[in-house]
């Protein structure tokens, strides 16, 4: 099984699933399809979840066609969450393009996300039933986590256990499902448990790394200190608030203001770094990665899992090598 061929197959199936008769002017389906394609087929899509499905599938010799179905499902659920997130956050840019809620409107973004969720489950009709059942659980977990994320926005006293609940629901649950789905296709219960546990820890590390990238200069591909700007209590920000009462009080005052000046944002961002929260986040990433690799057990020696291990280890080594913060 070749990775490039697999990803190309996933791309083709995404495109096919979102193709409708554009001449059907009496229906709004072409608009929803166009909006969904705008996000799902954007060149900036990294396809991390299909790649994870692929590597796990290689490790247990999963059926190519069914694995591609699972990968498309994962990508659709992820894309649906992005469409909904951009409405909640009033996002304007995604994968280098205008968000759907800007190019069309928030209603189209919400309904396009709903459409992707429906297509994601429909696409699993050839897979074992437990794969679809766990996909539904995944959607439920992501929904609950998103609700809490919205409720804690602008709060300076967020608990780490709340951050973990959100990260496990929005990110780790998807990585867990990718591993368990790939193993389920080969009917390997032991691998389902091992891959699922790894996916949970790797997903947590993945979200921590994303939060840590926010403290880097804009060359990293993200606007520096965007979490401060968006009043989003990220992992390093929560750590900084726990480590420094003065910072927490300053953050609380700032986040009560309707608009933050760029000078204030830069000051608060540097304050997060000065508490040592960035270094602590880096160590937490390494801990989660190591724990996840341990959970792979003997599977870590198999093709596919070796690629996943290299991917996971590279996540935290990148920060150590670049001394990014």
């Amino acid at each position: 099984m070749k990775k490039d061929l697999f990803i190309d197959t996933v791309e083709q199936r995404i495109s096919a699933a979102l193709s409708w008769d554009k001449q059907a002017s009496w229906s709004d389906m072409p608009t929803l399809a166009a909006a969904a394609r705008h996000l799902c087929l954007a060149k900036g899509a990294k396809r991390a979840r299909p790649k994870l499905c692929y590597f796990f599938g290689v490790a247990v010799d999963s059926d190519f066609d069914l694995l591609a179905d699972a990968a498309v499902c994962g990508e659709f659920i992820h894309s649906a969450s992005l469409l909904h997130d951009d409405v909640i956050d009033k996002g304007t840019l995604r994968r280098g393009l205008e968000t759907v809620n800007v190019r069309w409107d928030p209603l189209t973004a919400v309904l396009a996300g709903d459409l992707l969720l429906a297509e994601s489950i429909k696409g699993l009709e050839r897979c074992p039933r437990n794969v679809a059942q766990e996909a539904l659980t995944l959607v439920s977990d992501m929904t609950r986590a998103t609700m809490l994320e919205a409720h804690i926005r602008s709060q300076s006293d967020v608990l780490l256990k709340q951050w973990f609940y959100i990260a496990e629901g929005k990110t780790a649950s998807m990585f867990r499902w990718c591993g368990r789905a790939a193993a389920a296709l080969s009917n390997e219960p032991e691998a389902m448990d091992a891959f699922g546990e790894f996916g949970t820890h790797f997903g947590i590390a993945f979200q921590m790394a994303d939060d840590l990238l926010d403290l880097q200069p804009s060359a990293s591909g993200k606007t520096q200190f965007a979490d401060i700007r968006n009043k989003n209590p990220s992992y390093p920000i929560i750590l900084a608030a726990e480590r420094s009462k003065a910072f927490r009080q300053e953050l609380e005052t700032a986040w009560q203001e309707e608009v933050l000046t760029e000078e204030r944002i830069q000051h608060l961002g540097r304050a997060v770094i000065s508490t040592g929260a960035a270094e602590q986040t880096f160590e937490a990433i390494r801990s989660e990665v190591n724990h996840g690799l341990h959970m792979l057990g003997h599977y870590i020696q198999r093709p596919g899992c070796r690629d996943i291990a290299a991917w996971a280890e590279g996540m935290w080594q990148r920060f150590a090598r670049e001394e990014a913060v």
Side-chain angles (χ1 to χ4, degrees):
M1 193 189 301
K2 301 297 184 181
K3 185 181 73 172
D4 290 345
L5 174 61
F6 181 81
I7 297 301
D8 285 345
T9 300
V10 170
E11 295 284 349
Q12 293 167 11
R13 293 188 183 184
I14 289 174
S15 180
L18 300 178
S19 296
W20 278 276
D21 181 7
K22 295 182 180 180
Q23 302 306 315
S25 58
W26 52 268
S27 169
D28 284 334
M29 184 59 76
T31 300
L32 287 180
R37 291 173 66 89
H38 176 76
L39 174 66
C40 291
L41 296 177
K43 293 183 178 180
K46 297 181 177 66
R47 302 299 188 229
R49 289 141 192 90
K51 289 175 184 176
L52 196 59
C53 286
Y54 167 80
F55 287 133
F56 277 129
V58 167
V60 292
D61 196 25
S62 299
D63 179 86
F64 182 96
D65 284 333
L66 296 183
L67 190 64
D69 285 347
V72 171
C73 171
E75 193 66 15
F76 277 172
I77 293 174
H78 173 59
S79 297
S81 73
L82 297 182
L83 287 166
H84 292 162
D85 280 351
D86 286 339
V87 172
I88 295 170
D89 299 336
K90 296 182 174 63
T92 59
L93 198 66
R94 174 73 70 178
R95 294 173 174 170
L97 301 173
E98 284 183 326
T99 55
V100 170
N101 52 292
V102 170
R103 183 164 179 174
W104 282 272
D105 51 61
L107 175 62
T108 301
V110 170
L111 295 180
D114 293 346
L115 175 67
L116 288 176
L117 291 177
E119 289 295 323
S120 71
I121 304 303
K122 187 172 74 174
L124 295 176
E125 60 185 353
R126 298 188 300 169
C127 295
R129 183 176 180 180
N130 61 334
V131 174
Q133 288 176 324
E134 292 195 15
L136 290 171
T137 299
L138 164 63
V139 173
S140 177
D141 290 343
M142 294 178 73
T143 302
R144 288 196 296 269
T146 301
M147 190 68 172
L148 177 59
E149 183 182 48
H151 281 167
I152 66 170
R153 188 64 58 89
S154 302
Q155 295 183 19
S156 60
D157 58 350
V158 175
L159 302 175
L160 275 178
K161 67 179 181 180
Q162 292 177 300
W163 183 92
F164 274 101
Y165 180 88
I166 294 168
E168 288 172 5
K170 292 198 65 178
T171 306
S173 62
M174 170 62 79
F175 284 31
R176 178 182 178 86
W177 180 83
C178 288
R180 288 182 60 83
L185 296 179
S186 293
N187 193 27
E188 292 204 24
E190 181 186 1
M192 287 180 66
D193 291 339
F195 294 175
E197 288 298 321
F198 169 83
T200 297
H201 291 287
F202 185 42
I204 292 293
F206 197 89
Q207 187 58 57
M208 287 177 174
D210 190 65
D211 286 3
L212 186 55
L213 279 173
D214 185 65
L215 301 181
Q216 291 187 353
S218 57
S220 67
K222 294 182 61 176
T223 302
Q224 190 179 24
F225 306 141
D227 287 328
I228 294 285
R229 182 177 290 101
N230 297 331
K231 302 180 180 180
N232 175 44
S234 68
Y235 189 81
I237 291 173
I238 295 172
L239 289 179
E242 288 186 347
R243 295 167 71 98
S244 170
K245 182 178 180 180
F247 169 76
R248 181 169 59 80
Q249 291 175 338
E250 185 175 6
L251 183 68
E252 180 179 5
T253 299
W255 277 0
Q256 288 176 350
E257 299 173 6
E258 185 173 349
V259 179
L260 295 177
T261 66
E262 190 61 30
E263 181 180 4
R264 190 78 174 276
I265 291 168
Q266 294 296 319
H267 169 73
L268 289 169
R270 290 190 296 269
V272 172
I273 296 173
S274 69
T275 66
E279 289 85 351
Q280 190 175 347
T281 301
F282 166 72
E283 292 300 328
I285 293 171
R286 179 163 60 178
S287 176
E288 291 290 342
V289 166
N290 288 340
H291 197 169
L293 294 176
H294 175 73
M295 298 308 296
L296 283 177
H298 65 88
Y299 291 103
I300 200 171
Q301 301 301 325
R302 293 192 182 186
C305 282
R306 290 200 298 266
D307 295 288
I308 290 173
W311 182 5
E313 290 176 340
M315 182 186 299
W316 63 266
Q317 288 177 355
R318 171 185 176 184
F319 295 106
R321 181 174 63 253
E322 296 182 356
E323 296 181 352
V325 292

